[in-house]
Amino acid sequence: MARVLVVEDDQFVRSALIRHLTEASHTVRSVGTALEALREVAHVGFDVVILDLGLPDLDGAEALKMLRGITQVPVIIATARDDEAEIVRLLNDGADDYLVKPFSVEHLSARMAAVLRRARGGPGTGGAGAEADRAIRVGGLAIDPLRRQAVLDGRALDLTRREFDLLAFLAQRPGVVVPRRELLAEVWQQSYGDDQTIDVHLSWLRRKLGETAANPRYLHTLRGVGVKLEPPLESSRA
């Protein structure tokens, strides 16, 4: 069971979502505007937000940015827009997942379950086992899965939930090339998906680690194979 906020101005869609989620034993609140959503999130604790983009008072993309200013609650975008560039921007701005309308209630349930597993420290987030309770060190990186903190050369990194999950998962296997399919399964809790989702998060992680794909230090992509995290050469020689 989860506490869900549905942000949707279409009354028909809104009612259908409320009915389905309630039947699945979730506690549901709903609003029809971005400002109402911000007010609800500021005063009520939610486990996940389902956010429509076509809101009457403020575009959902702007609402997402404002939500991220006050909370890290998982946000699933529900949109009729299927423009790839916009979807990438939404992921960059902090969306945890997205669904293109029309979608089935089964698809929504599966995506919600995956997002909630990640948020609650399920498989792939580094939350299981005694090893996860200890900081993982790779070169100048120190990752604490229990506190969900990452430090690079003494400087705390400001990571989104998904960025941290990806970094922690790779850090648990330093020097090992992890296939993209495995990253989708373990970090995103999806058996299938778009490689661009991984690429977007790798790109943002690289920025925060002070590197680029052309000049990697920690994150190395092997085209057509996968990704590995290993200490820079200067750290290995130290």
Side-chain angles (χ1 to χ4, degrees):
M1 293 186 293
R3 294 162 298 176
V4 185
L5 176 63
V6 173
V7 188
E8 170 64 65
D9 70 319
D10 185 307
Q11 190 59 50
F12 177 79
V13 175
R14 188 170 162 184
S15 297
L17 287 174
I18 293 170
R19 182 174 64 255
H20 162 68
L21 293 168
T22 302
E23 288 174 352
S25 301
H26 298 299
T27 301
V28 185
R29 293 173 70 100
S30 66
V31 294
T33 68
L35 291 180
E36 288 176 308
L38 291 166
R39 190 177 302 116
E40 285 287 309
V41 167
H43 293 94
V44 181
F46 292 99
D47 296 308
V48 63
V49 174
I50 300 171
L51 177 64
D52 177 40
L53 292 183
L55 299 173
D57 59 335
L58 189 66
D59 186 80
E62 291 302 314
L64 173 65
K65 293 179 183 178
M66 295 175 73
L67 281 170
R68 279 293 165 257
I70 60 175
T71 181
Q72 285 301 307
V73 63
V75 176
I76 299 175
I77 299 294
T79 176
R81 309 172 194 174
D82 59 358
D83 179 68
E84 184 176 285
E86 180 164 23
I87 289 170
V88 170
R89 281 196 299 273
L90 290 166
L91 291 170
N92 288 344
D93 288 338
D96 291 82
D97 208 340
Y98 65 89
L99 285 168
V100 177
K101 298 177 181 177
F103 50 81
S104 68
V105 292
E106 292 79 14
H107 196 173
L108 172 61
S109 293
R111 293 297 184 93
M112 272 186 57
V115 165
L116 289 169
R117 279 196 299 271
R118 291 193 297 268
R120 292 168 176 170
T125 62
E131 288 297 318
D133 293 342
R134 294 197 290 268
I136 304 166
R137 298 187 181 278
V138 180
L141 268 173
I143 301 159
D144 187 336
L146 186 62
R147 296 180 176 82
R148 296 186 66 80
Q149 295 174 345
V151 175
L152 174 62
D153 298 329
R155 175 178 58 87
L157 298 176
D158 182 17
L159 304 179
T160 66
R161 178 182 291 104
R162 193 71 59 81
E163 289 167 353
F164 182 88
D165 290 346
L166 178 58
L167 182 63
F169 184 74
L170 291 170
Q172 289 169 355
R173 305 168 66 180
V176 175
V177 179
V178 181
R180 287 171 173 266
R181 183 183 303 174
E182 186 174 348
L183 289 175
L184 280 172
E186 297 297 329
V187 178
W188 275 263
Q189 298 291 305
Q190 295 178 17
S191 57
Y192 63 92
D194 188 346
D195 276 4
Q196 181 128 22
T197 297
I198 298 176
D199 291 335
V200 166
H201 287 86
L202 283 173
S203 175
W204 280 85
L205 256 183
R206 284 193 173 104
R207 289 190 189 187
K208 293 176 181 181
L209 294 174
E211 62 180 66
T212 65
N215 295 289
R217 295 185 67 233
Y218 285 92
L219 292 169
H220 301 264
T221 300
L222 280 72
R223 188 182 298 274
V225 182
V227 183
K228 69 176 177 178
L229 183 145
E230 61 183 10
L233 288 177
E234 58 266 29
S235 297
S236 302
R237 292 169 182 160

